[in-house]
Amino acid sequence: MNAPSSPSTGPSPTAPAPKSSGFAAEFKDAVTFRAFGLVLGGLLVQLAFVLSYVGAFHSPTPHRIPVAVVAPPQASSKIVAQLNALAGEPVKATAASSTAVAREWVMTRRTDAAFLFDPKGTEDTLLVASAGGPSVSQTATQIAQKIEASEKRRITVTDIQSPNSGDGRGMTSFYLVLGWVIGGYLTATIMGMASGSRPANRPRTLIRLAVLIPYAVVSGVAGAVIVGPVFDALGGHFWALSAIGTLTVMASAATALALQTLLGLLGTGLVILLFVVLGNPSSGGVYPAPLLPAFWSAIGQALPPGAGTTLVRNTVYFSGHATSSALWVLGAYAVGGALLAWGASWWREGRGSAAKVSPGTEAPLTV
């Protein structure tokens, strides 16, 4: 007869390991390393937001505001030299041949103001177009008044293009574009992160881009309705604004889709950094480029918020002058974003295939 086997005293190989308890274990479960990274990323974006907005707006200082000067030949060169020699270079003066030419320069956005010298009296004229940015017009006026007072002369300010009565301080263009840009990248983000959505491959990316086109059209038309018939802030340019809105939304959405496809969650953070943290304060909506610090002045028109604001403002108030660069910028973001999104999805497909057939991981043959 066999002796009965002794009971096993060791733990069963399939028994689950006991869970540790206590505050440390609960904290580890509640705050994972990934969650900590996301919180840290949120903190950095928050600080960057404060740094960018305060850095851009804390002390607006004029720098090389373009000004046309109309004066007799013997006085013109002296006035231009005097203006260009002001401490800190607040203006960049250029001689104009006549009042009509100077006025045209202001209305085509070659200059922000025009100084008309009266050689027969002591009262001169400053032409401004506050619809292009009230802050710049006010600053140019203050500079001119200070110079004229030192010369014992007076100046009359004439606003040859002011904002519409429904446009207040000329900020509607900025707010309209801000809504378009935010709507574009939020929609692209939602499409990629919605419950049940799958990672983007080439067919899905093309479908998402195709869906974004009618969304952009509806957004452009809706924005034009709000600033036109609803509030009469930027009336009279309905179809032009609808087209600009469509392009702006598509530029924002396609770029967001591309960065999120390429970089995942990090791409979303990069979109916020580009469009909100850097793009909004540098756009020229609050303070135009001549009043911004060098960094924000340099990047503003290279980002969708700045390009869109310039395009809307110059279309409504300045007959579409000085808009070609803005159109190229928005077009580059829309087309480039779409191509990058498709290329990124192709690259991700290749990585996924390589991971499935990596050396040593082939499935065994079934006989």
Side-chain angles (χ1 to χ4, degrees):
M1 181 180 293
N2 294 330
S5 57
S6 57
S8 172
T9 56
S12 170
T14 58
K19 280 190 175 182
S20 56
S21 57
F23 176 77
E26 293 293 338
F27 182 84
K28 185 177 180 181
D29 286 341
V31 184
T32 63
F33 182 77
R34 175 180 172 82
F36 175 77
L38 293 175
V39 170
L40 179 60
L43 175 62
L44 293 177
V45 170
Q46 170 189 315
L47 296 178
F49 184 95
V50 175
L51 176 65
S52 183
Y53 277 70
V54 175
F57 298 152
H58 78 287
S59 181
T61 303
H63 182 68
R64 298 175 67 83
I65 298 174
V67 176
V69 173
V70 179
Q74 63 272 22
S76 178
S77 58
K78 179 182 176 182
I79 295 173
V80 168
Q82 180 185 7
L83 291 174
N84 288 335
L86 292 173
E89 296 185 302
V91 300
K92 179 185 178 182
T94 304
S97 58
S98 67
T99 298
V101 169
R103 186 185 184 94
E104 179 187 355
W105 286 4
V106 174
M107 291 302 294
T108 58
R109 309 317 293 144
R110 178 172 173 176
T111 63
D112 286 318
F115 177 75
L116 312 180
F117 177 75
D118 181 8
K120 298 179 181 180
T122 60
E123 186 166 342
D124 304 316
T125 302
L126 184 71
L127 303 181
V128 298
S130 60
S135 301
V136 170
S137 298
Q138 292 169 1
T139 302
T141 300
Q142 292 168 359
I143 294 172
Q145 289 172 339
K146 185 176 180 180
I147 295 174
E148 292 287 89
S150 67
E151 298 290 334
K152 309 298 183 185
R153 299 177 67 85
R154 293 183 301 169
I155 192 160
T156 299
V157 180
T158 302
D159 192 347
I160 60 176
Q161 184 61 72
S162 59
N164 296 336
S165 58
D167 191 12
R169 289 181 50 80
M171 297 285 288
T172 302
S173 302
F174 170 62
Y175 292 131
L176 175 61
V177 171
L178 178 62
W180 280 334
V181 169
I182 291 176
Y185 77 72
L186 276 182
T187 300
T189 302
I190 290 169
M191 289 175 65
M193 299 179 66
S195 175
S197 64
R198 301 176 65 187
N201 55 19
R202 279 176 290 171
R204 290 188 206 112
T205 297
L206 291 177
I207 290 171
R208 289 172 184 176
L209 286 170
V211 170
L212 287 173
I213 293 174
Y215 171 81
V217 172
V218 171
S219 296
V221 171
V225 168
I226 292 171
V227 299
V230 175
F231 290 112
D232 195 26
L234 302 177
H237 300 81
F238 180 82
W239 292 113
L241 291 180
S242 297
I244 294 170
T246 299
L247 180 59
T248 302
V249 173
M250 200 63 205
S252 172
T255 303
L257 180 62
L259 293 176
Q260 290 157 3
T261 302
L262 184 64
L263 302 173
L265 191 58
L266 181 60
T268 303
L270 185 56
V271 169
I272 295 173
L273 178 66
L274 286 175
F275 292 170
V276 180
V277 174
L278 295 177
N280 287 349
S282 66
S283 67
V286 179
Y287 292 124
L291 300 183
L292 293 173
F295 172 74
W296 287 268
S297 176
I299 68 172
Q301 294 305 303
L303 296 171
T309 299
T310 296
L311 189 53
V312 170
R313 184 178 280 164
N314 289 4
T315 296
V316 172
Y317 292 116
F318 302 103
S319 303
H321 289 288
T323 56
S324 57
S325 294
L327 280 168
W328 277 106
V329 168
L330 291 175
Y333 275 94
V335 176
L339 293 175
L340 179 59
W342 188 81
S345 60
W346 192 1
W347 173 71
R348 282 194 169 274
E349 283 181 28
R351 287 187 63 195
S353 299
K356 289 178 182 177
V357 221
S358 58
T361 60
E362 291 84 358
L365 294 175
T366 304
V367 181

